[in-house]
Amino acid sequence: MKFPQWIAAAALTLLAGMAWSSARTIYPDPEQARTDIANALKTAAQAHKRVLLDFGGNWCGDCIVLDMYMHNEQNRPILEANYVLVHVNVGHLDTNLDIAEKYQVPVTHGVPEVAVLSETGKLLFSSRTKELELAVQRSDTAAVTRFLVQWKPTKQGCTMMSTNC
C-alpha cells in the first residue's frame, strides 16, 4: 500500500515542528501579551516597522511550523527588517481571546492566526481565511514569503511598483 503524498508531507511537517519546538518555547506566558504588544508598538514607531501578531500556542504543530517558516533563511531577513513580531499565547483557545477579538482574529476556529498592525497600531490585516495555516499544511514556505513581502511597510517616497522599497 502506497501512502498519499499529503500524508507524508503532513508527517514531515509535524516532525519538523516538534524538533523546532523542543529547541525553544515560542509563545510566552499568556500574561505577557498586553505588555509585549505595547512594547512592540513603541519599537515599531521608532523603527518604522509593522507589528506582526502571531496568535497560537506551544502545543500547536502548525503554529510551530509557521514560526519555523518565518525564521527560515529566506524569510528571516524580511521579517527582521520590516516587522516587530509578537507571539500571543492563546492557551488552548481560551486565553487572550479579548486581544484576538480586538484585532479581528478568529482564534476560536483554530490557530495559527495573525494580524498586521501599522507602526501606530492601526489594524491593516487579520487572517480570517487561514491563509498562513493553509500554507503550513501545504508546506508552502513561498506563501509565507509572499505574505511578509505584501504587508511590509513601504518607505517614504516609494510606490508599490518600486523594487527598492
Side-chain angles (χ1 to χ4, degrees):
M1 180 165 77
K2 189 175 180 181
F3 281 150
Q5 279 188 322
W6 69 269
I7 291 176
L12 287 173
T13 299
L14 180 61
L15 289 173
M18 289 169 47
W20 182 258
S21 69
S22 67
R24 63 192 208 124
T25 299
I26 297 168
Y27 296 90
D29 186 285
E31 299 298 318
Q32 286 184 227
R34 285 170 184 72
T35 302
D36 289 351
I37 293 169
N39 290 338
L41 287 167
K42 287 178 190 173
T43 301
Q46 294 169 348
H48 305 291
K49 293 182 177 186
R50 300 246 164 109
V51 175
L52 178 58
L53 301 178
D54 171 21
F55 293 83
N58 292 310
W59 54 268
C60 169
D62 286 347
C63 300
I64 292 162
V65 173
L66 175 60
D67 188 71
M68 184 174 64
Y69 287 177
M70 285 194 290
H71 289 91
N72 72 15
E73 67 182 35
Q74 182 177 357
N75 293 331
R76 179 187 299 269
I78 301 167
L79 180 70
E80 290 176 354
N82 298 288
Y83 297 93
V84 180
L85 177 62
V86 178
H87 295 289
V88 179
N89 190 332
V90 295
H92 287 278
L93 305 179
D94 60 359
T95 307
N96 289 323
L97 300 182
D98 57 327
I99 297 173
E101 185 176 321
K102 176 180 179 178
Y103 295 110
Q104 302 172 18
V105 177
V107 296
T108 55
H109 299 293
V111 287
E113 295 289 358
V114 299
V116 178
L117 310 179
S118 72
E119 64 185 64
T120 61
K122 178 183 175 192
L123 178 64
L124 302 173
F125 171 85
S126 65
S127 59
R128 294 183 193 103
T129 57
K130 305 188 116 358
E131 45 272 79
L132 292 181
E133 182 179 358
L134 293 172
V136 167
Q137 292 171 355
R138 295 180 184 135
S139 299
D140 185 2
T141 59
V144 176
T145 305
R146 287 189 301 274
F147 174 84
L148 292 172
V149 168
Q150 177 182 357
W151 290 103
K152 73 180 186 173
T154 56
K155 296 178 184 172
Q156 283 188 313
C158 292
T159 64
M160 294 300 279
M161 301 305 280
S162 301
T163 56
N164 297 343
C165 296

